[in-house]
Amino acid sequence: MFHDPVDVIPSVGDKTKEQLELLDITKVGDLLFHFPFRYDFFELKPINEIQHDETATIQGQVVSEPNVSYFGRKKSRLTCTLQVGVVAIKAVFFNQAFLKDRIKKGETITVTGKWDMHRLQITVQQLQPKSFNEDQTIQPIYHSKGNLTTKQIKKLVSYALKSSLEEVEEMLPEKYLIEYKLPSRRQAIKELHQPSSKTALKHAKRRFIFEELFIFQLKMQWIKSHNRAKSKGSSKVYDKQLVEQFIRSLGFTLTNSQNRVLEEILNDLKQPYRMNRLLQGDVGSGKTIVAAVALYATYLSGQQGALMVPTEILAEQHEESLKELFGDLLNVELLTGSVKGKKRRERLESINNGDVDIVVGTHALIQDDTLFKDLGLVIVDEQHRFGVAQRKTLRDKGLHPDVLFMTATPIPRTLSITTFGDMDVSVIDELPKGRQPIETYWVKENMMDRVRQFMVSEVNNGHQAYVICPLIEESDQLDIQNAVDVYEELQEELPNHINVGLMHGRLNAHEKDEVMRSFAENETQVLVSTTVVEVGVNVPNATLMVIYDAERFGLAQLHQLRGRVGRGYHQSYCILLADPKGDTGKERMRVMTETTDGFTLSEHDLQIRGPGDFFGKKQSGLPEFKVADLVEDYRALEVARRDAVDVLKHNLLENDPEYKQLKVLIESDPKIQERIFD
């Protein structure tokens, strides 16, 4: 029966079949895995144990005739008195006048609703069936489509349990069932649909949380293992002492975090397989230095390195800082869309014949006419800005360099394990010594005069300021500040010696570069901008960030914007202008003022927004689980990942018959084929 079409069930006609198909239920067995999305718990408690405003279930004898009063259009209020032990309580039913004929004086009824301990009153949400007893205290609620009801789905699931449950095969080896005290797959399915107790339901959920996360992590580790085995990477041989000598020459000491990450990356470079690593580091944590050391080790091995960034001005800044770091040790060149004509031809020739050791650039690095002599390492900064297809272009050219992706977006460990599970992940989680935490304040619009005075004070002390607005121009729909208005307002109200610049997404690339250059060179002291500066240039002299309508931004974006200041050794400030109406907005402002740690913020953001919204629905690539929750079940995710790594390490999918089902499931997944190298 398990694989039979769903319309073999006697009560399923054409219409019901269509509605079930909308829920991806086409076979009888599919019903077994259409799990309830929540449960209503009806636990009978003594009156004195129920908290005020708690949703409670109460059983009592009706001691007064039900009375209905009408008010407004189609609105009603039904009341009756229940005797519960020695206490008389009032039961109130809003807009349920039809229940009057079902409630009889002298009968015992069970109701669920909100308890008011001060008035000894329950506002009833649900009248339980007359046959209600303690065994019915957990009621599953299912997602449904069309006219399908939870009651109908329950009946269909009940049929499937009787006819098909015995055909369900166990997916997990016995080792995990014993070690984690998990029920069998069949037991867990039955308990999820027809819970016998809260404890049994909890263990059934634990079983499927582990199964879902374990299978997902197995797929991620399988992709990683497969790609590593197939990769045509080359083992880099370099003089370790020269690398250490270069690190000592930097003029500052690397943080423990930077040293740990460097060790991981340098170890990867020595391996015969291709590196596929993500480097996470908060804004200003020193990722560029780590990248420079990795590029230097690649140069010592006799190969070229490339650093790809999203914007021209960022490319120019990286080129400048790398030239400063390396001096005459090696040759660093820039390749962007602005390098044209004879200069471009000469530079391409130098790259092709190996005269250039490190190339810094934008998408120009992956154009057809860019040919390397021996490309050993590609570092992609702000990796989410580049598509998979663009990164794949390097491989299509016949190049198989080690690849290091870098991001300043702090990603919670839970999402990092999930989204980048097929990559190695390194994290820089401390700031360089001497950096002062950015002081963050949340103020209302009526404080704007004081904010402007503070801005003038910072500029008079030789510093600069960013002012961020959500919109470019005025909107009739949204009552929020816009960049053009704020720019004109500040030009008028700030002293004449303060130059104000304007930056937004409608400027072309050349115009943006000019605006940013003017700001970077302190020709402009105050830059009014939209969020296009979120990932951008390094201006150590900027010490003040003012964000209008800050409640309109997520925590991750606010943190990225705040990270534009505090790049030097001067005390920096971030001022959030916001008047949030809802609790979520107020919570964001509170968290922003309490911590400057990006990873702490990202965890808060994950809790507030949920995993689907953290990266954005379309590009997240996050899996959809039936039972597991990435936020709540992060400990199970860690365990599942550890076990999955162990399975691949000991080749259990190939060698142990108990893993046969898992092997078939993984190898038959079409999505896996999209993520493996040819």
Side-chain angles (χ1 to χ4, degrees):
M1 283 291 286
F2 188 89
H3 296 289
D4 287 351
V6 76
D7 56 3
V8 301
I9 300 174
S11 60
V12 176
D14 290 343
K15 193 171 181 183
T16 304
K17 183 185 175 187
E18 282 176 23
Q19 291 173 337
L20 287 169
E21 282 173 357
L22 294 174
L23 296 166
D24 293 325
I25 298 171
T26 57
K27 296 172 184 172
V28 175
D30 294 336
L31 283 161
L32 297 179
F33 296 92
H34 182 66
F35 297 134
F37 72 94
R38 69 175 173 86
Y39 298 84
D40 283 345
F41 294 89
F42 304 112
E43 184 181 359
L44 293 175
K45 283 185 183 178
I47 294 287
N48 60 359
E49 290 182 17
I50 304 172
Q51 301 297 313
H52 180 64
D53 273 352
E54 182 184 349
T55 297
T57 300
I58 291 171
Q59 198 168 66
Q61 186 181 31
V62 181
V63 293
S64 70
E65 290 289 347
N67 177 55
V68 178
S69 56
Y70 293 91
F71 57 97
R73 191 167 177 267
K74 296 183 179 177
K75 291 183 180 178
S76 65
R77 184 173 185 268
L78 184 154
T79 59
C80 66
T81 303
L82 300 182
Q83 187 76 33
V84 182
V86 295
V87 182
I89 70 163
K90 182 185 276 188
V92 181
F93 303 73
F94 285 103
N95 305 319
Q96 299 179 72
F98 60 90
L99 292 176
K100 184 180 180 184
D101 296 333
R102 284 173 50 186
I103 298 171
K104 308 287 185 189
K105 185 178 177 182
E107 285 186 346
T108 296
I109 64 170
T110 307
V111 292
T112 300
K114 185 174 277 192
W115 173 243
D116 184 334
M117 67 181 292
H118 306 303
R119 294 194 283 183
L120 292 179
Q121 176 179 300
I122 185 165
T123 303
V124 181
Q125 296 156 1
Q126 193 172 346
L127 175 66
Q128 303 297 349
K130 287 185 181 176
S131 58
F132 182 89
N133 57 54
E134 286 285 351
D135 296 333
Q136 294 172 304
T137 57
I138 308 173
Q139 294 296 322
I141 309 296
Y142 294 88
H143 280 300
S144 59
K145 292 279 176 84
N147 297 323
L148 272 178
T149 63
T150 280
K151 191 175 179 181
Q152 287 173 289
I153 293 174
K154 268 189 201 174
K155 283 185 179 176
L156 296 175
V157 167
S158 182
Y159 182 95
L161 286 168
K162 287 173 186 169
S163 65
S164 307
L165 186 60
E166 291 304 310
E167 296 177 57
V168 171
E169 295 185 11
E170 183 57 74
M171 297 294 296
L172 297 178
E174 193 176 0
K175 163 191 171 181
Y176 301 111
L177 302 186
I178 295 169
E179 187 176 347
Y180 302 134
K181 297 183 174 61
L182 301 175
S184 71
R185 208 168 194 233
R186 290 177 191 170
Q187 281 176 291
I189 288 170
K190 185 157 186 5
E191 286 294 342
L192 284 172
H193 291 296
Q194 297 174 349
S196 58
S197 69
K198 276 187 177 179
T199 302
L201 176 60
K202 177 185 168 186
H203 290 308
K205 281 183 175 179
R206 276 201 318 115
R207 149 75 205 219
F208 271 99
I209 286 167
F210 177 75
E211 179 180 306
E212 288 181 338
L213 296 175
F214 180 56
I215 289 171
F216 179 73
Q217 284 302 315
L218 271 178
K219 289 176 180 178
M220 289 290 98
Q221 297 304 318
W222 191 88
I223 292 167
K224 187 174 174 180
S225 173
H226 180 91
N227 286 345
R228 182 169 284 181
K230 294 281 183 181
S231 69
K232 300 174 184 176
S234 59
S235 177
K236 291 175 177 51
V237 180
Y238 55 85
D239 189 326
K240 188 180 177 184
Q241 286 185 326
L242 286 177
V243 172
E244 289 171 352
Q245 188 179 316
F246 173 69
I247 293 171
R248 284 195 298 273
S249 74
L250 291 172
F252 52 85
T253 307
L254 297 184
T255 63
N256 293 333
S257 204
Q258 283 173 310
N259 281 319
R260 185 189 69 246
V261 162
L262 254 178
E263 194 176 329
E264 292 167 352
I265 293 167
L266 293 175
N267 185 56
D268 274 358
L269 295 178
K270 294 177 188 173
Q271 304 306 318
Y273 51 77
R274 186 164 68 248
M275 174 168 68
N276 185 37
R277 185 173 286 277
L278 173 72
L279 173 58
Q280 281 182 256
D282 216 339
V283 175
S285 62
K287 295 186 299 300
T288 307
I289 295 298
V290 170
V293 177
L295 288 166
Y296 184 59
T298 302
Y299 158 74
L300 291 176
S301 75
Q303 292 183 295
Q304 293 167 295
L307 174 59
M308 189 157 73
V309 298
T311 66
E312 289 201 6
I313 193 157
L314 200 53
E316 288 168 16
Q317 280 211 335
H318 276 304
E319 178 215 17
E320 195 177 308
S321 60
L322 288 176
K323 279 184 171 176
E324 199 175 309
L325 279 171
F326 294 125
D328 298 329
L329 281 173
L330 44 80
N331 185 18
V332 180
E333 291 292 357
L334 182 73
L335 188 65
T336 65
S338 296
V339 180
K340 294 190 169 92
K342 184 183 176 185
K343 192 176 181 182
R344 182 181 179 82
R345 287 193 300 275
E346 288 174 351
R347 199 155 292 178
L348 288 172
E349 191 179 331
S350 297
I351 294 168
N352 194 9
N353 63 29
D355 289 342
V356 175
D357 302 309
I358 297 174
V359 188
V360 182
T362 54
H363 292 85
L365 291 181
I366 56 173
Q367 299 304 313
D368 292 341
D369 60 349
T370 309
L371 301 171
F372 293 84
K373 183 181 181 183
D374 187 6
L375 184 62
L377 172 65
V378 174
I379 299 177
V380 185
D381 195 16
E382 287 307 325
Q383 60 89 26
H384 61 281
R385 297 290 176 107
F386 293 96
V388 173
Q390 290 161 333
R391 299 199 295 261
K392 190 173 180 290
T393 303
L394 288 167
R395 294 204 303 274
D396 292 343
K397 285 183 170 193
L399 301 170
H400 299 277
D402 286 314
V403 184
L404 177 68
F405 304 115
M406 301 199 302
T407 181
T409 304
I411 302 161
R413 181 164 171 75
T414 308
L415 293 190
S416 174
I417 288 173
T418 310
T419 311
F420 305 108
D422 57 337
M423 301 171 76
D424 293 303
V425 179
S426 294
V427 178
I428 301 178
D429 52 12
E430 59 181 315
L431 290 177
K433 291 178 179 66
R435 286 282 174 89
Q436 299 181 61
I438 300 164
E439 291 184 16
T440 305
Y441 302 95
W442 165 25
V443 302
K444 302 283 180 69
E445 187 72 27
N446 59 10
M447 300 269 293
M448 195 56 216
D449 284 344
R450 286 182 63 185
V451 172
R452 275 194 287 268
Q453 287 168 20
F454 185 62
M455 195 183 295
V456 172
S457 170
E458 283 297 293
V459 173
N460 288 343
N461 286 330
H463 301 141
Q464 291 165 273
Y466 289 97
V467 178
I468 305 298
C469 307
L471 290 179
I472 299 171
E473 293 166 358
E474 192 172 348
S475 164
D476 293 332
Q477 285 78 36
L478 298 169
D479 181 25
I480 53 180
Q481 293 291 341
N482 63 85
V484 174
D485 278 359
V486 170
Y487 167 69
E488 290 171 355
E489 184 184 298
L490 289 176
Q491 272 192 318
E492 207 171 288
E493 298 192 8
L494 293 176
N496 291 335
H497 70 279
I498 297 177
N499 290 326
V500 183
L502 176 63
M503 164 81 107
H504 55 69
R506 288 189 193 164
L507 299 179
N508 61 40
H510 176 70
E511 289 169 327
K512 282 180 189 171
D513 283 349
E514 283 306 307
V515 172
M516 284 313 300
R517 270 197 195 87
S518 174
F519 189 62
E521 292 167 14
N522 203 2
E523 293 168 5
T524 300
Q525 286 75 46
V526 175
L527 180 62
V528 178
S529 175
T530 55
T531 56
V532 290
V533 297
E534 183 185 339
V535 175
V537 294
N538 188 22
V539 184
N541 195 46
T543 57
L544 176 60
M545 167 67 65
V546 178
I547 304 175
Y548 277 83
D549 300 293
E551 73 272 18
R552 296 189 58 79
F553 301 101
L555 280 173
Q557 195 173 29
L558 286 172
H559 182 63
Q560 288 285 304
L561 290 167
R562 175 169 62 184
R564 293 296 98 214
V565 297
R567 310 302 292 262
Y569 294 97
H570 307 293
Q571 178 61 58
S572 293
Y573 309 89
C574 177
I575 297 175
L576 307 170
L577 282 165
D579 188 13
K581 302 294 185 262
D583 292 340
T584 301
K586 289 173 184 172
E587 175 70 3
R588 282 200 190 115
M589 297 307 106
R590 185 189 63 76
V591 172
M592 278 294 293
T593 58
E594 288 179 0
T595 181
T596 54
D597 182 270
F599 290 95
T600 303
L601 279 166
S602 70
E603 294 291 348
H604 277 286
D605 212 13
L606 184 61
Q607 288 164 3
I608 292 170
R609 296 163 65 186
D613 291 330
F614 190 87
F615 289 109
K617 293 282 184 190
K618 290 182 181 173
Q619 68 270 43
S620 71
L622 291 170
E624 288 187 18
F625 300 118
K626 290 176 185 286
V627 184
D629 180 291
L630 286 177
V631 181
E632 299 293 328
D633 303 318
Y634 67 93
R635 287 192 182 89
L637 180 63
E638 295 272 5
V639 172
R641 181 172 183 269
R642 184 196 67 205
D643 288 340
V645 168
D646 193 59
V647 167
L648 270 294
K649 182 181 176 183
H650 295 97
N651 209 16
L652 297 177
L653 288 176
E654 300 293 335
N655 301 333
D656 192 328
E658 272 204 283
Y659 290 81
K660 182 185 173 186
Q661 286 291 108
L662 291 167
K663 183 174 185 281
V664 171
L665 185 71
I666 290 164
E667 292 184 345
S668 63
D669 187 342
K671 289 182 180 177
I672 282 186
Q673 302 309 316
E674 298 170 10
R675 296 184 72 164
I676 61 174
F677 301 150
D678 298 326

